[in-house]
Amino acid sequence: MLKSTLEALASNDQNAAARFSAITGTVELANLIPPTVSYESRGNLLIIGEQLTITALAEQFSALNSVTLLATEKAAQAEKVENLYFSKEVTVKGYLGAFDVRCRVDGTISETNVNLAKVATGRDCFDIVLDMTAEGIVKIEIPAPGYYATAKGAVVADLVEELPAMIGTFDKPKYFRLNPDLCAHSSRGVSGCDRCVDACPAGALTSTGHAIEINPYLCQGVGTCATACPTEAISYALPDPDNTQHFVYRLLDRYQTEGGSAPTILFYGNRDEASVIRTLALFPSNVIPVALEELATVGVDTWFSALAYGAHQVLLATNTDYIPATIDRVLSDELAIAQAFLTELGFEADRITLFDFAQVESFSAYDAALVTDAQARFEGNKRDKLFAALTLLADVAPAKPDYSELPANAPYGSVDCKTEDCTLCMSCVSVCPTRALHAVGDRPGLLFVEQDCIQCGMCEKACPEKVISMKPGFNWDAQARTEAQVVHEEEAACCTSCGKAFAPASMVKMLTEKLQSHSQFQGEAIRRLSMCEDCRVRDIFSQMESDPESQLKV
């Protein structure tokens, strides 16, 4: 439908013709065989709500395998209905084919919540839930498949026709890939980044305390977790972000090859295709629509790559009134960072902007490009591509900032260290997920690579002296940003026995001062703190051999 609309507009001018040729001649964004998860539904329906409301509906769903009614409020006078239960406190968890519904059923002797499906149908779970309560029992913004709530816009008349078809096996794409090796959520018991959990409106991501888990049955493919993830530990798989950026590159290249000028990229989610088709004729003909599974599946790296590839502007198009709060927050946070970069460079902030279809008649495209020369396609991970695009834009920008402050939640920045109190214990190094912080190697010292820092905060939490703190921001000096900078270094303490350098001198001094009054470090024992690990062991065993009773004091 979109292509036929583009074809109809292609005769209008050169840009419209180039746009149609670019879109039809560029390989589409898709995976040939995406991984899937399967739902099994036997058609056991649970309807929850006021007694009179739900009993009136029961017969309309008679085509399903079974219908169980759970009234949250009793009617003063009502006919007796089969398979009707009463409970004021209800919890619903699960997804199509596997809904676990717990409640204390009125009239039973049980004092605890029971599995209602077990009581009503003899099975472990319900397959479908129709929630007709005023506020909805499941508070998640995007509920799982199989859960329908009138409070969230479900229309009963439509469901009467649709739900009988919800029997059988149903496949859904497995939208995401998770690489635990790249995850910055936790290390050595220290908690770090949880941006993905906060960004999921479907409740599909949870923390086990040491790792992130994704429930593919709850995941709705919104994409906010992948956009929020700073390390690409979670990446979108339908298609992956690398293919998305390559598609944008090929699309812009083909558009300009076909004689198109001043391109503007309009990203939109598939659910908004009807709005795109309806408003496309009102846009200037140099606006190139790019369909995504969901609008939030791409973030700041893809937006800036598009500008670097020649787009004059990037529009994130949607009906803004209908964006769930979590998706709106993630997009707004990402957009705030993007526009901070643009304004710091002296460019217009709305070169990347959220765009409501209702504004189409007042839209005016930018005539001037930020980058005029053709660029090679960026490679690497999402951060590599973003930094490459920003470096390119910084070279041609009207403003030349040295350093820019960013919002507190930005995954870019540096660390501050009170070096006078740092003992170079390397606790920060042991938990850093990206090796932004690492040891010098041949002497006591701490190095830092700013471009690799994602501001996860684990180093700050792991530091026993509490001398490290986060500093969100951006260093526009690419060489300084990518080189290892010395945070702190000091003289090494040399073993008093063999002369080998084995620890920072300040650490040995600190330990000696703290432990000199300890009962286990009296007399000759205290001098072992000034020995390397090998000499310390030899000294202990030498004393044990000459004085066996000393073993009781070790």
Side-chain angles (χ1 to χ4, degrees):
M1 185 66 179
L2 177 63
K3 287 184 179 179
S4 62
T5 302
L6 290 168
E7 184 177 16
L9 296 170
S11 60
N12 291 356
D13 57 32
Q14 181 61 41
N15 284 339
R19 176 178 63 185
F20 176 67
S21 179
I23 289 178
T24 56
T26 305
V27 177
E28 292 186 3
L29 281 169
N31 284 353
L32 295 178
I33 308 177
T36 60
V37 293
S38 296
Y39 299 90
E40 295 283 346
S41 172
R42 295 175 176 83
N44 296 308
L45 170 68
L46 172 67
I47 306 178
I48 309 172
E50 294 182 358
Q51 182 178 352
L52 292 179
T53 302
I54 63 178
T55 52
L57 281 177
E59 280 198 25
Q60 297 185 55
F61 294 101
S62 58
L64 290 167
N65 185 47
S66 70
V67 178
T68 302
L69 305 175
L70 178 59
T72 53
E73 294 184 21
K74 289 183 179 180
Q77 292 182 341
E79 296 180 9
K80 186 176 180 180
V81 178
E82 186 180 355
N83 226 16
L84 172 64
Y85 301 86
F86 299 92
S87 181
K88 291 185 178 296
E89 297 181 5
V90 184
T91 61
V92 178
K93 295 180 181 178
Y95 45 84
L96 178 65
F99 282 106
D100 182 49
V101 180
R102 303 276 169 165
C103 60
R104 181 182 172 186
V105 179
D106 287 5
T108 68
I109 61 173
S110 174
E111 293 295 327
T112 59
N113 284 354
V114 299
N115 182 341
L116 183 60
K118 201 79 168 175
V119 173
T121 68
R123 306 193 67 86
D124 291 330
C125 55
F126 291 104
D127 298 300
I128 308 166
V129 174
L130 171 55
D131 182 355
M132 302 191 67
T133 58
E135 297 181 356
I137 294 170
V138 176
K139 303 303 181 184
I140 296 171
E141 290 176 87
I142 302 180
Y147 175 85
Y148 304 90
T150 54
K152 294 182 179 293
V155 179
V156 174
D158 294 338
L159 295 178
V160 169
E161 295 187 11
E162 294 174 10
L163 292 192
M166 299 298 290
I167 301 175
T169 301
F170 303 90
D171 293 331
K172 175 181 74 74
K174 192 174 182 180
Y175 294 99
F176 294 95
R177 299 187 184 99
L178 175 62
N179 185 346
D181 293 337
L182 298 178
C183 186
H185 176 62
S186 176
S187 178
R188 298 175 184 266
V190 178
S191 60
C193 175
D194 55 5
R195 289 181 172 94
C196 60
V197 177
D198 291 340
C200 180
L205 281 84
T206 55
S207 168
T208 64
H210 59 83
I212 294 294
E213 291 185 347
I214 301 178
N215 186 328
Y217 294 94
L218 297 180
C219 174
Q220 301 296 293
V222 173
T224 44
C225 60
T227 295
C229 178
T231 65
E232 222 165 35
I234 297 179
S235 60
Y236 206 69
L238 197 69
D240 63 70
D242 199 47
N243 283 338
T244 301
Q245 287 197 9
H246 290 176
F247 173 82
V248 172
Y249 174 83
R250 294 194 303 272
L251 185 68
L252 288 168
D253 182 63
R254 181 70 179 266
Y255 173 79
Q256 292 166 337
T257 300
E258 295 290 337
S261 62
T264 289
I265 290 292
L266 182 140
F267 287 118
Y268 69 94
N270 280 334
R271 70 183 65 201
D272 286 325
E273 182 171 319
S275 296
V276 174
I277 293 171
R278 188 169 55 252
T279 59
L280 199 56
L282 301 176
F283 276 112
S285 58
N286 58 351
V287 174
I288 307 173
V290 176
L292 303 169
E293 187 75 16
E294 295 282 354
L295 180 62
T297 58
V298 300
V300 63
D301 53 304
T302 300
W303 306 339
F304 273 102
S305 293
L307 293 179
Y309 294 152
H312 290 203
Q313 189 176 17
V314 173
L315 305 178
L316 313 174
T318 188
N319 294 300
T320 55
D321 290 342
Y322 303 109
I323 299 180
T326 298
I327 299 177
D328 183 48
R329 173 172 53 81
V330 173
L331 277 174
S332 296
D333 288 348
E334 197 83 347
L335 190 59
I337 294 170
Q339 294 186 336
F341 285 141
L342 287 168
T343 55
E344 286 291 294
L345 293 172
F347 296 124
E348 298 89 347
D350 65 351
R351 290 284 185 159
I352 301 175
T353 187
L354 197 64
F355 181 82
D356 194 314
F357 290 111
Q359 302 168 356
V360 64
E361 292 187 359
S362 60
F363 173 72
S364 178
Y366 278 101
D367 293 328
L370 301 186
V371 178
T372 55
D373 297 329
Q375 301 300 315
R377 189 175 69 187
F378 298 137
E379 302 292 346
N381 61 32
K382 63 190 290 185
R383 289 176 73 86
D384 293 335
K385 292 170 184 171
L386 172 63
F387 288 123
L390 290 176
T391 298
L392 177 66
L393 289 171
D395 289 341
V396 299
K400 303 293 182 183
D402 295 321
Y403 185 85
S404 300
E405 294 185 359
L406 291 176
N409 60 345
Y412 318 100
S414 58
V415 295
D416 280 333
C417 179
K418 298 177 183 177
T419 55
E420 64 274 14
D421 296 323
C422 177
T423 61
L424 292 174
C425 68
M426 298 301 163
S427 294
C428 55
V429 171
S430 69
V431 298
C432 182
T434 63
R435 289 198 79 248
L437 285 166
H438 57 279
V440 172
D442 59 348
R443 63 187 186 279
L446 181 62
L447 300 177
F448 177 70
V449 180
E450 182 172 343
Q451 184 157 304
D452 294 337
C453 180
I454 61 169
Q455 299 286 291
C456 66
M458 280 197 277
C459 58
E460 185 176 21
K461 295 175 183 176
C463 178
E465 281 80 34
K466 304 302 178 187
V467 299
I468 293 181
S469 58
M470 298 293 98
K471 185 182 178 183
F474 194 81
N475 185 352
W476 291 98
D477 185 336
Q479 182 175 349
R481 193 177 65 234
T482 55
E483 288 183 348
Q485 307 290 332
V486 176
V487 176
H488 180 45
E489 63 178 340
E490 62 178 65
E491 179 185 356
C494 296
C495 176
T496 55
S497 179
C498 70
K500 181 180 78 172
F502 72 98
S506 64
M507 180 180 290
V508 175
K509 180 183 178 183
M510 180 268 292
L511 289 173
T512 301
E513 291 174 350
K514 286 188 174 182
L515 297 174
Q516 61 186 351
S517 60
H518 194 282
S519 60
Q520 297 295 318
F521 290 91
Q522 298 304 302
E524 292 293 308
I526 193 68
R527 64 186 177 82
R528 295 189 186 120
L529 293 176
S530 299
M531 295 180 183
C532 69
E533 58 275 20
D534 294 332
C535 292
R536 192 178 306 130
V537 172
R538 281 194 292 269
D539 189 69
I540 290 173
F541 277 95
S542 175
Q543 183 177 358
M544 287 180 178
E545 184 179 11
S546 61
D547 181 10
E549 292 185 5
S550 66
Q551 296 183 52
L552 301 175
K553 302 177 182 179
V554 175

